Amino acid sequence: MAHDKTERMRGFEEFVAARSQSLMRTAFLLVGTKEGAEDLVQSALEKAFPRWSRVRRMDTPEAYVRRIVVNNAHSAWRAAQRLPTVTLPTGPDGSPLALTRSAGDHAEDVTLRDSLLRALDELPHGMRTIVVLRYWEELSVQEVAELQRCSVGNVKSQAARGLERLRELMTAEARSER
């Protein structure tokens, strides 16, 4: 019996080590803050652990945990109408820092990423979730539909509308900066 617990714990720890960055990325894109993302992922992992014996045998345990992250984000949105967001951290010169580190000076990439995150924050939470899952997490339309428990057609239309709205918001921001 103790051996089973040890194996379950080891398997869960391996899962967390391998997939927590991906889950954090999804959570961050959903809520817009590092702290909020950490809370969502921690809560999802806490919910998944007691069921880990069953979850680990699933075809895609990450999809199960990601669903918990998405559900938690939706619950928070419903409870607070919207989670608070903050601007991206800034460097000593006041410019936004990149979400990921890369070599060289990529000021344009950082500015684009910042604009995109601000535009993403303007989308309704359901549409935002579909756009994040479909394009950042690169899930198929079918996978998003299953995760969101909606039709493939709904995913396609929400994704198309979401992308169109992001384009509008980013174009308007680019024009205002001129």
Side-chain angles (χ1 to χ4, degrees):
M1 186 74 145
H3 179 42
D4 290 342
K5 263 187 167 176
T6 305
E7 280 300 311
R8 180 176 74 157
M9 185 66 157
R10 185 177 304 121
F12 186 74
E13 288 172 352
E14 289 170 0
F15 171 81
V16 170
R19 306 311 313 156
S20 61
Q21 284 301 98
S22 174
L23 294 167
M24 276 294 295
R25 180 182 60 236
T26 300
F28 179 82
L29 290 167
L30 290 173
V31 298
T33 67
K34 181 181 177 199
E35 295 80 13
E38 288 170 346
D39 289 347
L40 286 177
V41 171
Q42 181 67 33
S43 175
L45 292 172
E46 287 172 0
K47 289 178 181 178
F49 181 71
R51 301 170 182 87
W52 190 248
S53 296
R54 183 175 48 93
V55 172
R56 73 177 180 201
R57 291 189 301 268
M58 295 178 172
D59 290 337
T60 54
E62 184 179 0
Y64 179 85
V65 178
R66 184 182 293 119
R67 178 75 212 157
I68 297 171
V69 168
V70 169
N71 286 344
N72 288 348
H74 284 232
S75 294
W77 281 321
R78 282 190 298 272
Q81 289 300 319
R82 188 168 184 83
L83 290 175
T85 58
V86 295
T87 57
L88 292 174
T90 58
D93 64 350
S95 64
L97 296 175
L99 292 178
T100 57
R101 295 175 191 234
S102 56
D105 179 23
H106 298 287
E108 220 172 279
D109 291 342
V110 172
T111 302
L112 178 61
R113 185 174 291 118
D114 184 49
S115 296
L116 188 54
L117 288 173
R118 280 196 308 262
L120 189 62
D121 193 42
E122 295 295 318
L123 297 180
H125 72 269
M127 185 180 287
R128 178 180 181 159
T129 301
I130 287 175
V131 169
V132 166
L133 294 174
R134 181 73 181 103
Y135 299 107
W136 268 277
E137 294 303 322
E138 298 179 346
L139 298 181
S140 71
V141 171
Q142 184 64 42
E143 290 170 320
V144 175
E146 289 170 7
L147 193 60
Q148 287 294 97
R149 296 186 182 115
C150 65
S151 70
V152 168
N154 186 45
V155 171
K156 288 179 180 180
S157 68
Q158 289 292 307
R161 287 184 191 134
L163 288 178
E164 181 60 33
R165 183 69 181 133
L166 287 174
R167 284 185 199 104
E168 290 170 4
L169 291 166
M170 292 185 71
T171 299
E173 183 175 323
R175 286 185 182 139
S176 70
E177 290 176 359
R178 287 186 193 163

